[in-house]
Amino acid sequence: MPDQNSNEGYSHDFQDRERTGTPVDYLEETSAEITPPMTYNATTRPVTSDVERDREVVGGKGIGITALLISILSLFVMPIILGIVGIVLGFVARSRGASALGTWAISLGAISIIIGIFIAPFF
């Protein structure tokens, strides 16, 4: 078995180095990692987070429907108060995963407030 400091077993490397003019006594060792590099994929999640996310979406959907109904109701009755409630519930729904319902509730609540403040007093 070759000694750690001996150059046995590396004759082909020495011949190549002598031909190219590089120092013969210089040997280098490289290594690779045992495991492949991790790739980050935002779509892969643990199983428990999928279950928790589904619960949040279901809860957000209920709040989003409630917010949308209150915002629609605010177009006809108490526009400022119900519009504010619809906007707040819309933000809660968006934070819980029901982004479309929350966005609609926020926009309808804001439209209701604008109509209640600027347009309704003239009628």
Side-chain angles (χ1 to χ4, degrees):
M1 183 156 157
D3 186 18
Q4 191 173 18
N5 293 329
S6 78
N7 293 328
E8 290 179 44
Y10 297 105
S11 62
H12 66 285
D13 192 33
F14 286 135
Q15 292 169 357
D16 291 340
R17 288 176 188 251
E18 286 176 356
R19 199 170 355 145
T20 59
T22 58
V24 176
D25 60 344
Y26 178 71
L27 295 175
E28 64 183 78
E29 181 179 339
T30 60
S31 64
E33 296 293 327
I34 295 173
T35 60
M38 281 184 69
T39 57
Y40 177 74
N41 189 355
T43 59
T44 58
R45 295 184 187 94
V47 175
T48 56
S49 71
D50 287 341
V51 171
E52 291 170 2
R53 188 175 146 263
D54 289 342
R55 286 183 188 155
E56 286 181 3
V57 169
V58 169
K61 187 175 179 182
I63 293 175
I65 291 171
T66 304
L68 187 61
L69 290 175
I70 289 174
S71 293
I72 291 171
L73 184 65
S74 73
L75 291 170
F76 305 105
V77 180
M78 296 188 299
I80 296 173
I81 296 171
L82 291 180
I84 292 172
V85 172
I87 290 172
V88 169
L89 286 178
F91 277 112
V92 171
R94 282 185 59 176
S95 69
R96 293 199 179 179
S99 60
L101 287 171
T103 303
W104 275 101
I106 291 168
S107 57
L108 283 177
I111 290 170
S112 174
I113 291 174
I114 291 170
I115 289 173
I117 291 175
F118 296 113
I119 299 174
F122 296 112
F123 290 105

